[in-house]
Amino acid sequence: MSLSKIFCPKFLPKHLLASAKVVTNSGDCIYKPRRHLSSSDVQFAKLAQEKKPDWNRAVSEAEKIVGYPTSFLSLRWLLSDEIANVALHLRKLVGSNHPLLKTAKGLLYNGKNNMQAWGLIVLLISKAAGHSADIPDMEQDKAAGVLHSQRALAEVTEMIRTSHLVHKGLVNLQPPNNVDASGDMMFGNKIALLSGDYLLSNSSIELANLRNQELVELMSSAVRDLTEAEFVGPRDRQNNPLPAKPKAKQVEYKQFIENNLEPLIVSEALGNAQAEWTLRNVLNAGSLLGKSCQGTLKLAGHSEDLQEKGYLFGKHLALAWQACLDREPFQPGSSGSFSLVCAPLMFTLQNKPELYEHIEKGLENVDEVDYDLLRAEVLEGPGLELTKKLQKEHSQAALKVLNELPASDARTALANIIAAVQES
């Protein structure tokens, strides 16, 4: 079939013919759409380029818009003496099964659990919202369409996030768990502790250099929330989280929105599947991304109302992202362990409380839990459908906030990222 036939009107859908102009040139049919598509049409046209939105494509296109890689691991950072030494020491841990190796792999893994895309999201929301007219030219990165201070905040966000994940890789070697005959685990702990401290201290220096007291207070509360997330609910001896025992009577739990600087109330959420999952993941992820988006709008001189919407956007996007990741261990052919505080399992426990006796077997060590049995129960119960519904709710909530911003390439890129998460 010739190209002329492909673009002939009779091969086109009727809804396209209504807005098309056909020109005959040497007997060939040529389709020329009129240039009056709205921004929403363009947005959804881009989303519909593939049958299923692709995560890697969405992130790659977003990078081009702000001129920023998905990680602060720039050449400047990688070539520093401190990181070069850490890389050499990490080689000694190969084969030791230390959790730090898994964290390092996660930093480089190119998938939906890519923890480095957070800085990219902060810059995209920065560009999508724009900045006030009184920002001096010297503070603007006109090529990328963001402020230099916003780019610094994006790096701070990733450094805080990464330092937290590295610190979580510490292994409890206190008796009776001290079985580190080779000393590899203790060595890994030292590397994890010092590497995490290095990142956190550098993030504090960069944050202080922005010279914005309100922003420092906001981001400090996000670090507090990350820390508090490690003390929510029951834990095993290695501090792996376990869900709280389901409550017979469910009480509605309302998240704080008016003043997100205040700590969240933990006790009221425990035992309520959706409230507990939301609380854990707001503390562990949503708070940092939400407050980073709020902070970047503060740097741009936007109103408090828009700053609050930035917080809601980041929080809902982080929760939708986590709900998407929680479903992955239950895909066909999956096996092995998974997080015991993932949404599908927590919803299943809420629906079938007698299963909690299997969770209690992991109070000493989560490895004692029968994961195959729990996976089978999740697949038979309502957990996966409720998680998908939860994911959709947070995706739509994030998209609703996003659509209040002016139409732009940055807004479309964020919509593509939300679609890639929602459709997975």
Side-chain angles (χ1 to χ4, degrees), residues 358-375:
H358 297 285
I359 300 296
E360 291 175 325
K361 294 177 182 178
L363 286 173
E364 287 293 319
N365 191 326
V366 292
D367 293 337
E368 302 298 324
V369 173
D370 188 343
Y371 287 96
D372 291 335
L373 183 146
L374 292 177
R375 179 179 280 105

Side-chain angles (χ1 to χ4, degrees), residues 330 338 345 348 352 354-355 357-359 361 369-380:
F330 303 97
F338 51 85
L345 179 58
T348 301
K352 203 171 180 180
E354 60 269 23
L355 290 174
E357 64 182 35
H358 297 285
I359 300 296
K361 294 177 182 178
V369 173
D370 188 343
Y371 287 96
D372 291 335
L373 183 146
L374 292 177
R375 179 179 280 105
E377 292 288 348
V378 168
L379 293 174
E380 291 180 5

Side-chain angles (χ1 to χ4, degrees), residues 211-229:
R211 298 183 181 278
N212 188 314
Q213 181 61 36
E214 291 182 355
L215 179 64
V216 170
E217 184 180 8
L218 182 67
M219 297 305 293
S220 297
S221 69
V223 175
R224 177 207 62 208
D225 291 341
L226 285 173
T227 305
E228 189 173 355

Side-chain angles (χ1 to χ4, degrees), residues 49-61:
Q49 283 178 351
E50 294 182 316
K51 291 183 179 179
K52 186 176 181 181
D54 180 76
W55 170 264
N56 292 330
R57 180 190 294 271
V59 170
S60 178
E61 289 178 353

Side-chain angles (χ1 to χ4, degrees), residues 32-51:
K32 290 188 177 180
R34 293 195 181 102
R35 297 178 179 271
H36 64 270
L37 292 176
S38 67
S39 60
S40 60
D41 292 332
V42 174
Q43 175 179 334
F44 288 106
K46 288 186 177 182
L47 290 174
Q49 283 178 351
E50 294 182 316
K51 291 183 179 179

Side-chain angles (χ1 to χ4, degrees), residues 61-335:
E61 289 178 353
E63 287 174 346
K64 297 173 186 175
I65 292 172
V66 292
Y68 186 76
T70 55
S71 173
F72 70 89
L73 299 172
S74 61
L75 200 59
R76 168 180 62 83
W77 194 80
L78 280 173
L79 293 180
S80 67
D81 292 339
E82 293 89 346
I83 299 303
N85 288 331
V86 168
L88 288 174
H89 290 311
L90 275 175
R91 293 179 61 185
K92 300 178 183 178
L93 294 178
V94 175
S96 68
N97 201 31
H98 194 282
L100 181 58
L101 290 173
K102 185 178 180 181
T103 304
K105 181 181 178 182
L107 286 169
L108 302 173
Y109 178 70
N110 187 22
K112 210 173 269 86
N113 62 347
N114 191 327
M115 61 190 75
Q116 304 148 17
W118 285 36
L120 176 64
I121 290 168
V122 172
L123 286 181
L124 286 170
I125 199 72
S126 303
K127 185 167 184 177
H131 55 76
S132 62
D134 57 351
I135 301 290
D137 287 349
M138 288 185 64
E139 295 185 21
Q140 301 176 29
D141 181 353
K142 293 191 176 181
V146 299
L147 305 179
H148 294 300
S149 57
Q150 291 176 319
R151 191 176 290 280
L153 179 60
E155 290 195 3
V156 166
T157 302
E158 290 193 350
M159 281 193 277
I160 292 174
R161 170 80 166 150
T162 307
S163 68
H164 174 65
L165 293 166
V166 170
H167 278 152
K168 284 177 70 173
L170 288 168
V171 178
N172 180 12
L173 296 177
Q174 297 298 316
N177 299 316
N178 195 354
V179 291
D180 186 28
S182 65
D184 287 340
M185 302 303 276
M186 178 62 77
F187 180 77
N189 276 0
K190 292 178 181 178
I191 297 298
L193 182 62
L194 295 173
S195 300
D197 286 352
Y198 170 77
L199 291 170
L200 192 57
S201 62
N202 272 271
S203 70
S204 300
I205 293 171
E206 286 224 28
L207 190 59
N209 287 337
L210 295 177
R211 298 183 181 278
N212 188 314
Q213 181 61 36
E214 291 182 355
L215 179 64
V216 170
E217 184 180 8
L218 182 67
M219 297 305 293
S220 297
S221 69
V223 175
R224 177 207 62 208
D225 291 341
L226 285 173
T227 305
E228 189 173 355
E230 299 306 307
F231 297 92
V232 172
R235 302 260 163 174
D236 75 346
R237 287 187 176 273
Q238 289 296 338
N239 203 42
N240 293 306
L242 299 168
K245 190 170 185 177
K247 291 179 180 177
K249 184 180 179 181
Q250 298 299 305
V251 180
E252 184 181 2
Y253 179 79
K254 297 180 180 179
Q255 297 290 329
F256 289 109
I257 295 177
E258 295 81 5
N259 184 2
N260 58 23
L261 293 178
E262 294 297 323
L264 295 174
I265 299 174
V266 173
S267 58
E268 294 181 4
L270 297 181
N272 180 338
Q274 183 166 335
E276 182 179 343
W277 180 87
T278 303
L279 174 73
R280 286 178 181 275
N281 289 289
V282 166
L283 291 173
N284 196 48
S287 176
L288 178 59
L289 186 56
K291 290 176 181 179
S292 297
C293 292
Q294 179 180 352
T296 199
L297 298 181
K298 183 186 291 291
L299 288 171
H302 289 295
S303 66
E304 289 190 5
D305 180 59
L306 188 58
Q307 291 175 34
E308 276 189 20
K309 289 177 180 176
Y311 169 74
L312 293 175
F313 171 78
K315 185 185 78 170
H316 286 301
L317 178 56
L319 292 176
W321 200 332
Q322 187 59 48
C324 173
L325 296 179
D326 282 359
R327 291 168 51 210
E328 288 185 356
F330 303 97
Q331 300 300 320
S334 299
S335 60

